[in-house]
Amino acid sequence: MSPWSWFLLPTLCLLSASAAPPRGAPASANCKLKAQQNELNSFLWTIKRDPLSYFFGMIHVPYTWVWDFIPDTSKEALQQSRIVYFELDLTDPYTISALTSCQMLPRGKNLQDVLPRDIYGRLKRHLEYVKLVMPSWMTADQHGKGLYADYLFNAIAGNWEWKRPVWVMLMVNSLTKADITSRGVPVLDLYLAQEAKRLRKQTGAVEKVEEQCNLLNGLNFSQVIFALNQTLLQQESLAGSLQIPYTTEDLIKHYNCGHLSSIIFSHDSSQVPNFINATLPPVERIAAQEIDSYFRWELIYKRNERMGKRVKALLEEFPDKGFFFAFGA
Ligand SMILES: *[C@@H]1O[C@H](CO)[C@@H](O)[C@H](O)[C@H]1NC(C)=O
Ligand SMILES: *[C@@H]1O[C@H](CO)[C@@H](O)[C@H](O)[C@H]1NC(C)=O
Ligand SMILES: *[C@@H]1O[C@H](CO)[C@@H](O)[C@H](O)[C@H]1NC(C)=O
């Protein structure tokens, strides 16, 4: 799963199956020290009030990769809370359509008009390659659920020519064997949202679609071209290989092992895209660092503060309600 995948939820929601058979994370991403239930880190913080409220830290990966490592205390906290809040309300059709439309270029424009010729050509070629190999990436599980490569490719990339370059970059990032193989299994946030609905919890969201979307659309053109170029270079060199990007694998492992500080502080396992590569020439290294700082500032610091204020306001407005806040790292 690309560390960016939560921005691609529209397609995920479209495809989420209700009864996915459990399928584990890649073996190497599992925590080696499989602890007892009561030794697992809960990623759960209690807000002491009556009734209790909770913060639950999530990562945006298929839930089957981490579910068994989430201790019962966290699952019970969800059961006990009356109101469950997410970043975005993924079960609301408006969220999905707004996320989809904010990814599109202005009407009448397409990528061929916008991108440098070389990049456009490579992008087109890479997508043709993906379309060709995708049937071989699909699992028997997915076929069993009626999920086929043609449909999946069209659902993810069918409208690529009309997407903004930054979203095409994210899309290319998600068109890897590891990602495709996990499609059809809801990501942890979506799964919890579905659980909350099933348990008849009141649900809500602390963010607006536009806030998440504008953040991405806020990169300037040269930054986006740089990122797209790097992504294409990476995918072109990965083509044919079966690897999961090591950063995602690390993230899942740290989560399952309960290594909180690694998740929060490690550069490699953050949700921030990482184009910084020691072998990049100096000029490109600077460009990568600028993109990195933009995301750290916007996606982590500013966004956390904004979300914190909204949480505080909710708790103050409804002092007698038990809240469960499920936010992603
Ligand atoms: C894009 O943003 C970077 C970093 O802020 C800046 O150095 C560069 O000049 C900007 N480019 C354009 C075309 O605005
Ligand atoms: C893409 O990146 C490569 C290697 O960093 C660079 O040589 C090339 O000029 C870049 N292409 C574009 C269109 O930016
Ligand atoms: C860094 O970039 C070089 C050249 O573009 C590439 O060969 C190498 O695999 C990259 N390393 C990582 C960790 O992405």
Short mmCIF file of all heavy atoms in Angstrom, two decimals, residues 153-215:
data_model
loop_
_atom_site.label_atom_id
_atom_site.label_comp_id
_atom_site.label_asym_id
_atom_site.label_seq_id
_atom_site.Cartn_x
_atom_site.Cartn_y
_atom_site.Cartn_z
N PHE A 153 -8.51 -1.47 -13.25
CA PHE A 153 -7.69 -0.49 -13.93
C PHE A 153 -8.53 0.73 -14.31
O PHE A 153 -8.13 1.87 -14.09
CB PHE A 153 -7.02 -1.08 -15.18
CG PHE A 153 -6.10 -0.12 -15.86
CD1 PHE A 153 -4.78 0.03 -15.44
CD2 PHE A 153 -6.55 0.68 -16.91
CE1 PHE A 153 -3.93 0.95 -16.05
CE2 PHE A 153 -5.71 1.61 -17.52
CZ PHE A 153 -4.39 1.73 -17.08
N ASN A 154 -9.72 0.47 -14.86
CA ASN A 154 -10.58 1.59 -15.23
C ASN A 154 -11.04 2.39 -14.03
O ASN A 154 -11.12 3.62 -14.10
CB ASN A 154 -11.79 1.09 -16.02
CG ASN A 154 -11.42 0.86 -17.47
OD1 ASN A 154 -10.59 1.59 -18.02
ND2 ASN A 154 -11.99 -0.16 -18.08
N ALA A 155 -11.31 1.71 -12.94
CA ALA A 155 -11.76 2.41 -11.73
C ALA A 155 -10.66 3.31 -11.18
O ALA A 155 -10.92 4.41 -10.71
CB ALA A 155 -12.21 1.40 -10.68
N ILE A 156 -9.41 2.86 -11.28
CA ILE A 156 -8.32 3.65 -10.71
C ILE A 156 -7.78 4.66 -11.72
O ILE A 156 -7.53 5.81 -11.38
CB ILE A 156 -7.16 2.73 -10.25
CG1 ILE A 156 -7.66 1.77 -9.17
CG2 ILE A 156 -5.98 3.54 -9.73
CD1 ILE A 156 -6.64 0.70 -8.81
N ALA A 157 -7.61 4.22 -12.95
CA ALA A 157 -6.86 5.04 -13.91
C ALA A 157 -7.67 5.44 -15.14
O ALA A 157 -7.15 6.13 -16.01
CB ALA A 157 -5.61 4.27 -14.35
N GLY A 158 -8.93 5.03 -15.20
CA GLY A 158 -9.74 5.27 -16.40
C GLY A 158 -9.73 6.73 -16.84
O GLY A 158 -9.68 7.03 -18.03
N ASN A 159 -9.73 7.66 -15.89
CA ASN A 159 -9.82 9.08 -16.25
C ASN A 159 -8.49 9.81 -16.08
O ASN A 159 -8.46 11.02 -15.86
CB ASN A 159 -10.91 9.75 -15.40
CG ASN A 159 -10.64 9.58 -13.91
OD1 ASN A 159 -9.67 8.92 -13.53
ND2 ASN A 159 -11.48 10.16 -13.08
N TRP A 160 -7.38 9.11 -16.17
CA TRP A 160 -6.09 9.72 -15.86
C TRP A 160 -5.79 10.95 -16.70
O TRP A 160 -5.18 11.90 -16.21
CB TRP A 160 -4.95 8.70 -15.96
CG TRP A 160 -4.61 8.24 -17.35
CD1 TRP A 160 -5.18 7.21 -18.02
CD2 TRP A 160 -3.61 8.79 -18.24
NE1 TRP A 160 -4.62 7.08 -19.27
CE2 TRP A 160 -3.66 8.04 -19.42
CE3 TRP A 160 -2.70 9.85 -18.14
CZ2 TRP A 160 -2.82 8.31 -20.52
CZ3 TRP A 160 -1.87 10.11 -19.22
CH2 TRP A 160 -1.94 9.36 -20.39
N GLU A 161 -6.24 10.99 -17.94
CA GLU A 161 -5.91 12.12 -18.82
C GLU A 161 -6.50 13.44 -18.34
O GLU A 161 -6.08 14.50 -18.78
CB GLU A 161 -6.41 11.86 -20.25
CG GLU A 161 -5.82 10.62 -20.87
CD GLU A 161 -5.06 10.91 -22.17
OE1 GLU A 161 -4.53 12.01 -22.32
OE2 GLU A 161 -5.04 9.99 -23.00
N TRP A 162 -7.48 13.37 -17.44
CA TRP A 162 -8.15 14.60 -16.99
C TRP A 162 -7.83 14.94 -15.54
O TRP A 162 -8.41 15.85 -14.97
CB TRP A 162 -9.66 14.47 -17.20
CG TRP A 162 -10.01 14.45 -18.65
CD1 TRP A 162 -10.18 15.54 -19.47
CD2 TRP A 162 -10.17 13.29 -19.48
NE1 TRP A 162 -10.43 15.12 -20.75
CE2 TRP A 162 -10.44 13.75 -20.80
CE3 TRP A 162 -10.11 11.91 -19.26
CZ2 TRP A 162 -10.64 12.88 -21.87
CZ3 TRP A 162 -10.32 11.05 -20.32
CH2 TRP A 162 -10.58 11.53 -21.60
N LYS A 163 -6.92 14.16 -14.96
CA LYS A 163 -6.57 14.42 -13.56
C LYS A 163 -5.46 15.46 -13.45
O LYS A 163 -4.61 15.56 -14.33
CB LYS A 163 -6.08 13.13 -12.90
CG LYS A 163 -7.21 12.22 -12.48
CD LYS A 163 -6.68 11.15 -11.54
CE LYS A 163 -7.85 10.37 -10.98
NZ LYS A 163 -7.45 9.31 -10.09
N ARG A 164 -5.43 16.15 -12.35
CA ARG A 164 -4.31 17.04 -12.06
C ARG A 164 -3.05 16.20 -11.89
O ARG A 164 -3.11 15.10 -11.33
CB ARG A 164 -4.57 17.81 -10.76
CG ARG A 164 -5.66 18.84 -10.86
CD ARG A 164 -5.93 19.43 -9.48
NE ARG A 164 -7.10 20.28 -9.50
CZ ARG A 164 -7.07 21.57 -9.83
NH1 ARG A 164 -5.92 22.16 -10.14
NH2 ARG A 164 -8.17 22.28 -9.85
N PRO A 165 -1.90 16.76 -12.34
CA PRO A 165 -0.65 15.99 -12.29
C PRO A 165 -0.33 15.42 -10.90
O PRO A 165 0.15 14.30 -10.80
CB PRO A 165 0.41 16.99 -12.72
CG PRO A 165 -0.32 18.01 -13.52
CD PRO A 165 -1.72 18.07 -12.98
N VAL A 166 -0.61 16.17 -9.85
CA VAL A 166 -0.25 15.68 -8.52
C VAL A 166 -1.05 14.41 -8.18
O VAL A 166 -0.55 13.48 -7.55
CB VAL A 166 -0.42 16.77 -7.44
CG1 VAL A 166 -1.87 17.12 -7.20
CG2 VAL A 166 0.23 16.34 -6.13
N TRP A 167 -2.30 14.34 -8.63
CA TRP A 167 -3.13 13.17 -8.35
C TRP A 167 -2.74 12.01 -9.24
O TRP A 167 -2.87 10.85 -8.86
CB TRP A 167 -4.61 13.52 -8.50
CG TRP A 167 -5.01 14.54 -7.48
CD1 TRP A 167 -5.12 15.89 -7.67
CD2 TRP A 167 -5.27 14.32 -6.10
NE1 TRP A 167 -5.45 16.51 -6.50
CE2 TRP A 167 -5.56 15.56 -5.52
CE3 TRP A 167 -5.30 13.18 -5.30
CZ2 TRP A 167 -5.86 15.71 -4.16
CZ3 TRP A 167 -5.60 13.32 -3.96
CH2 TRP A 167 -5.88 14.57 -3.40
N VAL A 168 -2.25 12.34 -10.45
CA VAL A 168 -1.74 11.28 -11.32
C VAL A 168 -0.49 10.67 -10.69
O VAL A 168 -0.28 9.47 -10.72
CB VAL A 168 -1.46 11.83 -12.73
CG1 VAL A 168 -0.61 10.86 -13.53
CG2 VAL A 168 -2.77 12.08 -13.45
N MET A 169 0.32 11.54 -10.07
CA MET A 169 1.52 11.05 -9.40
C MET A 169 1.12 10.05 -8.30
O MET A 169 1.69 8.97 -8.19
CB MET A 169 2.26 12.26 -8.83
CG MET A 169 3.59 11.98 -8.17
SD MET A 169 3.47 11.74 -6.41
CE MET A 169 3.01 13.34 -5.81
N LEU A 170 0.11 10.42 -7.51
CA LEU A 170 -0.33 9.50 -6.44
C LEU A 170 -0.92 8.22 -7.02
O LEU A 170 -0.73 7.14 -6.47
CB LEU A 170 -1.37 10.20 -5.56
CG LEU A 170 -0.86 11.40 -4.79
CD1 LEU A 170 -1.96 12.00 -3.94
CD2 LEU A 170 0.31 11.00 -3.91
N MET A 171 -1.64 8.40 -8.13
CA MET A 171 -2.24 7.24 -8.77
C MET A 171 -1.15 6.27 -9.24
O MET A 171 -1.26 5.05 -9.01
CB MET A 171 -3.07 7.74 -9.95
CG MET A 171 -3.84 6.67 -10.67
SD MET A 171 -4.49 7.34 -12.22
CE MET A 171 -3.10 7.01 -13.29
N VAL A 172 -0.11 6.80 -9.87
CA VAL A 172 0.99 5.95 -10.35
C VAL A 172 1.62 5.21 -9.17
O VAL A 172 1.93 4.02 -9.25
CB VAL A 172 2.04 6.79 -11.11
CG1 VAL A 172 3.31 5.98 -11.36
CG2 VAL A 172 1.47 7.29 -12.42
N ASN A 173 1.75 5.92 -8.06
CA ASN A 173 2.30 5.31 -6.84
C ASN A 173 1.47 4.13 -6.35
O ASN A 173 1.98 3.22 -5.71
CB ASN A 173 2.29 6.36 -5.72
CG ASN A 173 3.67 6.73 -5.32
OD1 ASN A 173 4.51 5.86 -5.14
ND2 ASN A 173 3.91 8.01 -5.19
N SER A 174 0.18 4.17 -6.62
CA SER A 174 -0.70 3.12 -6.10
C SER A 174 -0.88 1.99 -7.11
O SER A 174 -1.54 1.00 -6.81
CB SER A 174 -2.06 3.71 -5.74
OG SER A 174 -2.80 3.95 -6.90
N LEU A 175 -0.32 2.15 -8.29
CA LEU A 175 -0.47 1.09 -9.29
C LEU A 175 0.71 0.13 -9.24
O LEU A 175 1.44 -0.03 -10.22
CB LEU A 175 -0.62 1.70 -10.69
CG LEU A 175 -1.99 2.32 -10.99
CD1 LEU A 175 -1.96 3.11 -12.28
CD2 LEU A 175 -3.08 1.24 -11.07
N THR A 176 0.91 -0.46 -8.07
CA THR A 176 1.97 -1.45 -7.93
C THR A 176 1.32 -2.78 -7.58
O THR A 176 0.15 -2.81 -7.16
CB THR A 176 2.92 -1.06 -6.79
OG1 THR A 176 2.14 -0.98 -5.59
CG2 THR A 176 3.60 0.25 -7.04
N LYS A 177 2.07 -3.83 -7.73
CA LYS A 177 1.51 -5.15 -7.44
C LYS A 177 1.00 -5.23 -6.00
O LYS A 177 -0.09 -5.72 -5.75
CB LYS A 177 2.55 -6.24 -7.70
CG LYS A 177 2.00 -7.63 -7.45
CD LYS A 177 3.02 -8.69 -7.81
CE LYS A 177 2.47 -10.05 -7.94
NZ LYS A 177 1.96 -10.88 -7.06
N ALA A 178 1.80 -4.70 -5.07
CA ALA A 178 1.42 -4.79 -3.66
C ALA A 178 0.09 -4.08 -3.40
O ALA A 178 -0.75 -4.57 -2.65
CB ALA A 178 2.51 -4.19 -2.79
N ASP A 179 -0.08 -2.93 -4.02
CA ASP A 179 -1.31 -2.17 -3.83
C ASP A 179 -2.50 -2.84 -4.48
O ASP A 179 -3.58 -2.91 -3.91
CB ASP A 179 -1.14 -0.78 -4.43
CG ASP A 179 -0.91 0.25 -3.37
OD1 ASP A 179 -0.01 0.02 -2.54
OD2 ASP A 179 -1.64 1.26 -3.36
N ILE A 180 -2.29 -3.28 -5.69
CA ILE A 180 -3.39 -3.87 -6.45
C ILE A 180 -3.88 -5.14 -5.77
O ILE A 180 -5.08 -5.39 -5.65
CB ILE A 180 -2.95 -4.14 -7.91
CG1 ILE A 180 -2.69 -2.81 -8.63
CG2 ILE A 180 -3.98 -4.97 -8.65
CD1 ILE A 180 -3.86 -1.85 -8.63
N THR A 181 -2.94 -5.92 -5.28
CA THR A 181 -3.28 -7.17 -4.62
C THR A 181 -4.13 -6.94 -3.37
O THR A 181 -4.88 -7.80 -2.95
CB THR A 181 -1.98 -7.91 -4.24
OG1 THR A 181 -1.22 -8.05 -5.43
CG2 THR A 181 -2.23 -9.28 -3.68
N SER A 182 -3.99 -5.74 -2.77
CA SER A 182 -4.75 -5.48 -1.55
C SER A 182 -6.09 -4.78 -1.82
O SER A 182 -6.84 -4.52 -0.90
CB SER A 182 -3.92 -4.65 -0.58
OG SER A 182 -3.84 -3.33 -1.04
N ARG A 183 -6.36 -4.48 -3.07
CA ARG A 183 -7.64 -3.82 -3.38
C ARG A 183 -8.79 -4.78 -3.15
O ARG A 183 -8.69 -5.96 -3.45
CB ARG A 183 -7.66 -3.35 -4.84
CG ARG A 183 -6.73 -2.20 -5.12
CD ARG A 183 -7.30 -0.92 -4.56
NE ARG A 183 -6.34 0.16 -4.71
CZ ARG A 183 -6.68 1.40 -5.10
NH1 ARG A 183 -7.92 1.70 -5.38
NH2 ARG A 183 -5.77 2.33 -5.18
N GLY A 184 -9.87 -4.22 -2.64
CA GLY A 184 -11.01 -5.07 -2.33
C GLY A 184 -11.11 -5.31 -0.84
O GLY A 184 -12.15 -5.66 -0.33
N VAL A 185 -10.00 -5.07 -0.13
CA VAL A 185 -10.03 -5.13 1.33
C VAL A 185 -10.07 -3.69 1.83
O VAL A 185 -9.21 -2.90 1.47
CB VAL A 185 -8.75 -5.81 1.89
CG1 VAL A 185 -8.79 -5.87 3.40
CG2 VAL A 185 -8.60 -7.20 1.30
N PRO A 186 -11.06 -3.32 2.63
CA PRO A 186 -11.13 -1.93 3.08
C PRO A 186 -9.89 -1.54 3.89
O PRO A 186 -9.35 -2.37 4.62
CB PRO A 186 -12.36 -1.89 3.98
CG PRO A 186 -13.08 -3.16 3.79
CD PRO A 186 -12.13 -4.15 3.20
N VAL A 187 -9.47 -0.28 3.76
CA VAL A 187 -8.41 0.21 4.64
C VAL A 187 -8.99 0.36 6.05
O VAL A 187 -10.20 0.42 6.22
CB VAL A 187 -7.82 1.57 4.17
CG1 VAL A 187 -6.93 1.38 2.96
CG2 VAL A 187 -8.90 2.57 3.90
N LEU A 188 -8.09 0.41 7.03
CA LEU A 188 -8.51 0.40 8.43
C LEU A 188 -9.55 1.50 8.74
O LEU A 188 -10.53 1.25 9.43
CB LEU A 188 -7.29 0.53 9.33
CG LEU A 188 -7.53 0.47 10.84
CD1 LEU A 188 -8.24 -0.82 11.24
CD2 LEU A 188 -6.21 0.59 11.60
N ASP A 189 -9.34 2.71 8.21
CA ASP A 189 -10.31 3.78 8.50
C ASP A 189 -11.70 3.45 7.98
O ASP A 189 -12.69 3.66 8.64
CB ASP A 189 -9.99 5.14 7.89
CG ASP A 189 -8.61 5.30 7.36
OD1 ASP A 189 -7.88 4.31 7.23
OD2 ASP A 189 -8.27 6.46 7.08
N LEU A 190 -11.73 2.96 6.73
CA LEU A 190 -13.03 2.65 6.14
C LEU A 190 -13.68 1.50 6.90
O LEU A 190 -14.88 1.52 7.17
CB LEU A 190 -12.86 2.29 4.66
CG LEU A 190 -14.14 1.92 3.93
CD1 LEU A 190 -15.14 3.06 3.98
CD2 LEU A 190 -13.86 1.52 2.49
N TYR A 191 -12.88 0.53 7.28
CA TYR A 191 -13.42 -0.61 8.01
C TYR A 191 -14.02 -0.16 9.34
O TYR A 191 -15.12 -0.57 9.72
CB TYR A 191 -12.32 -1.65 8.23
CG TYR A 191 -12.80 -2.87 8.95
CD1 TYR A 191 -13.65 -3.78 8.32
CD2 TYR A 191 -12.44 -3.11 10.28
CE1 TYR A 191 -14.12 -4.90 8.99
CE2 TYR A 191 -12.90 -4.24 10.94
CZ TYR A 191 -13.74 -5.13 10.30
OH TYR A 191 -14.21 -6.22 10.96
N LEU A 192 -13.31 0.72 10.05
CA LEU A 192 -13.83 1.22 11.33
C LEU A 192 -15.10 2.04 11.11
O LEU A 192 -16.03 1.97 11.92
CB LEU A 192 -12.78 2.07 12.05
CG LEU A 192 -11.67 1.31 12.76
CD1 LEU A 192 -10.73 2.30 13.44
CD2 LEU A 192 -12.22 0.34 13.80
N ALA A 193 -15.15 2.81 10.02
CA ALA A 193 -16.34 3.60 9.72
C ALA A 193 -17.52 2.66 9.46
O ALA A 193 -18.64 2.90 9.92
CB ALA A 193 -16.10 4.51 8.51
N GLN A 194 -17.25 1.58 8.75
CA GLN A 194 -18.32 0.60 8.48
C GLN A 194 -18.76 -0.08 9.78
O GLN A 194 -19.96 -0.29 10.00
CB GLN A 194 -17.84 -0.46 7.48
CG GLN A 194 -17.69 0.10 6.07
CD GLN A 194 -16.96 -0.85 5.12
OE1 GLN A 194 -16.29 -1.80 5.56
NE2 GLN A 194 -17.08 -0.61 3.82
N GLU A 195 -17.79 -0.37 10.65
CA GLU A 195 -18.12 -0.96 11.95
C GLU A 195 -18.97 0.00 12.78
O GLU A 195 -19.95 -0.41 13.40
CB GLU A 195 -16.84 -1.27 12.73
CG GLU A 195 -16.19 -2.60 12.37
CD GLU A 195 -17.07 -3.78 12.74
OE1 GLU A 195 -17.16 -4.12 13.92
OE2 GLU A 195 -17.68 -4.35 11.80
N ALA A 196 -18.58 1.26 12.77
CA ALA A 196 -19.32 2.27 13.54
C ALA A 196 -20.76 2.35 13.05
O ALA A 196 -21.70 2.43 13.85
CB ALA A 196 -18.63 3.63 13.43
N LYS A 197 -20.94 2.29 11.74
CA LYS A 197 -22.31 2.33 11.17
C LYS A 197 -23.08 1.08 11.59
O LYS A 197 -24.23 1.15 11.99
CB LYS A 197 -22.25 2.41 9.63
CG LYS A 197 -21.90 3.81 9.10
CD LYS A 197 -23.15 4.58 8.70
CE LYS A 197 -23.02 6.09 8.82
NZ LYS A 197 -22.12 6.81 8.02
N ARG A 198 -22.39 -0.07 11.51
CA ARG A 198 -23.04 -1.33 11.84
C ARG A 198 -23.47 -1.34 13.31
O ARG A 198 -24.53 -1.86 13.65
CB ARG A 198 -22.06 -2.48 11.56
CG ARG A 198 -22.66 -3.89 11.64
CD ARG A 198 -21.61 -4.95 11.32
NE ARG A 198 -20.53 -5.04 12.29
CZ ARG A 198 -20.63 -5.64 13.47
NH1 ARG A 198 -21.74 -6.24 13.82
NH2 ARG A 198 -19.60 -5.66 14.30
N LEU A 199 -22.64 -0.74 14.17
CA LEU A 199 -22.95 -0.69 15.59
C LEU A 199 -23.88 0.48 15.92
O LEU A 199 -24.09 0.80 17.08
CB LEU A 199 -21.65 -0.59 16.41
CG LEU A 199 -20.66 -1.75 16.27
CD1 LEU A 199 -19.30 -1.39 16.86
CD2 LEU A 199 -21.21 -3.01 16.93
N ARG A 200 -24.37 1.13 14.89
CA ARG A 200 -25.31 2.26 15.02
C ARG A 200 -24.77 3.40 15.87
O ARG A 200 -25.47 4.00 16.67
CB ARG A 200 -26.65 1.79 15.61
CG ARG A 200 -27.30 0.74 14.72
CD ARG A 200 -28.68 0.35 15.20
NE ARG A 200 -29.21 -0.74 14.38
CZ ARG A 200 -29.69 -0.58 13.17
NH1 ARG A 200 -29.75 0.60 12.61
NH2 ARG A 200 -30.13 -1.62 12.48
N LYS A 201 -23.48 3.68 15.68
CA LYS A 201 -22.89 4.83 16.36
C LYS A 201 -23.23 6.08 15.56
O LYS A 201 -23.41 6.01 14.35
CB LYS A 201 -21.36 4.72 16.42
CG LYS A 201 -20.83 3.44 17.00
CD LYS A 201 -21.11 3.37 18.48
CE LYS A 201 -20.57 2.10 19.08
NZ LYS A 201 -21.09 1.88 20.43
N GLN A 202 -23.27 7.18 16.26
CA GLN A 202 -23.35 8.45 15.55
C GLN A 202 -21.94 8.72 15.03
O GLN A 202 -20.96 8.51 15.74
CB GLN A 202 -23.78 9.52 16.54
CG GLN A 202 -24.06 10.86 15.92
CD GLN A 202 -24.37 11.90 16.99
OE1 GLN A 202 -24.95 11.58 18.03
NE2 GLN A 202 -23.97 13.13 16.75
N THR A 203 -21.81 9.15 13.75
CA THR A 203 -20.47 9.37 13.21
C THR A 203 -20.30 10.80 12.72
O THR A 203 -21.28 11.50 12.46
CB THR A 203 -20.15 8.42 12.04
OG1 THR A 203 -21.13 8.61 11.02
CG2 THR A 203 -20.13 6.97 12.48
N GLY A 204 -19.06 11.23 12.59
CA GLY A 204 -18.79 12.56 12.10
C GLY A 204 -17.36 12.67 11.64
O GLY A 204 -16.60 11.71 11.71
N ALA A 205 -17.01 13.85 11.12
CA ALA A 205 -15.66 14.07 10.61
C ALA A 205 -15.15 15.44 11.06
O ALA A 205 -15.93 16.38 11.16
CB ALA A 205 -15.67 14.02 9.09
N VAL A 206 -13.85 15.52 11.34
CA VAL A 206 -13.30 16.81 11.79
C VAL A 206 -12.69 17.60 10.64
O VAL A 206 -12.31 18.75 10.82
CB VAL A 206 -12.23 16.66 12.89
CG1 VAL A 206 -12.84 16.13 14.16
CG2 VAL A 206 -11.09 15.81 12.43
N GLU A 207 -12.59 16.98 9.48
CA GLU A 207 -12.00 17.70 8.35
C GLU A 207 -12.96 17.78 7.19
O GLU A 207 -13.84 16.94 7.04
CB GLU A 207 -10.77 16.95 7.85
CG GLU A 207 -9.52 17.20 8.60
CD GLU A 207 -8.32 16.65 7.84
OE1 GLU A 207 -8.31 15.43 7.60
OE2 GLU A 207 -7.43 17.43 7.49
N LYS A 208 -12.72 18.78 6.34
CA LYS A 208 -13.50 18.88 5.11
C LYS A 208 -12.64 18.34 3.97
O LYS A 208 -11.41 18.47 3.99
CB LYS A 208 -13.85 20.33 4.83
CG LYS A 208 -14.75 20.95 5.87
CD LYS A 208 -15.35 22.25 5.32
CE LYS A 208 -16.27 22.90 6.32
NZ LYS A 208 -15.52 23.42 7.50
N VAL A 209 -13.30 17.79 2.98
CA VAL A 209 -12.59 17.25 1.82
C VAL A 209 -11.67 18.31 1.22
O VAL A 209 -10.51 18.03 0.89
CB VAL A 209 -13.60 16.80 0.74
CG1 VAL A 209 -12.89 16.47 -0.55
CG2 VAL A 209 -14.39 15.61 1.24
N GLU A 210 -12.18 19.53 1.11
CA GLU A 210 -11.43 20.60 0.46
C GLU A 210 -10.11 20.85 1.19
O GLU A 210 -9.11 21.18 0.57
CB GLU A 210 -12.24 21.89 0.41
CG GLU A 210 -13.48 21.81 -0.48
CD GLU A 210 -14.61 20.98 0.12
OE1 GLU A 210 -14.60 20.74 1.35
OE2 GLU A 210 -15.50 20.55 -0.64
N GLU A 211 -10.12 20.68 2.51
CA GLU A 211 -8.89 20.94 3.27
C GLU A 211 -7.80 19.93 2.90
O GLU A 211 -6.65 20.30 2.71
CB GLU A 211 -9.18 20.87 4.77
CG GLU A 211 -9.98 22.06 5.24
CD GLU A 211 -10.54 21.89 6.65
OE1 GLU A 211 -10.76 20.75 7.08
OE2 GLU A 211 -10.76 22.92 7.30
N GLN A 212 -8.19 18.67 2.79
CA GLN A 212 -7.20 17.65 2.40
C GLN A 212 -6.77 17.86 0.96
O GLN A 212 -5.60 17.72 0.61
CB GLN A 212 -7.81 16.25 2.55
CG GLN A 212 -7.79 15.74 3.95
CD GLN A 212 -7.75 14.21 4.01
OE1 GLN A 212 -7.69 13.52 3.00
NE2 GLN A 212 -7.76 13.68 5.21
N CYS A 213 -7.74 18.21 0.13
CA CYS A 213 -7.48 18.29 -1.30
C CYS A 213 -6.61 19.50 -1.65
O CYS A 213 -5.65 19.38 -2.41
CB CYS A 213 -8.82 18.40 -2.00
SG CYS A 213 -8.75 17.73 -3.63
N ASN A 214 -6.94 20.64 -1.07
CA ASN A 214 -6.19 21.85 -1.38
C ASN A 214 -4.73 21.76 -0.97
O ASN A 214 -3.86 22.38 -1.56
CB ASN A 214 -6.83 23.07 -0.69
CG ASN A 214 -8.16 23.39 -1.32
OD1 ASN A 214 -8.44 22.95 -2.44
ND2 ASN A 214 -8.99 24.15 -0.62
N LEU A 215 -4.51 20.96 0.06
CA LEU A 215 -3.16 20.73 0.52
C LEU A 215 -2.29 20.15 -0.60
O LEU A 215 -1.18 20.57 -0.84
CB LEU A 215 -3.29 19.71 1.63
CG LEU A 215 -2.44 19.85 2.83
CD1 LEU A 215 -3.20 19.32 4.00
CD2 LEU A 215 -1.20 19.10 2.57
#
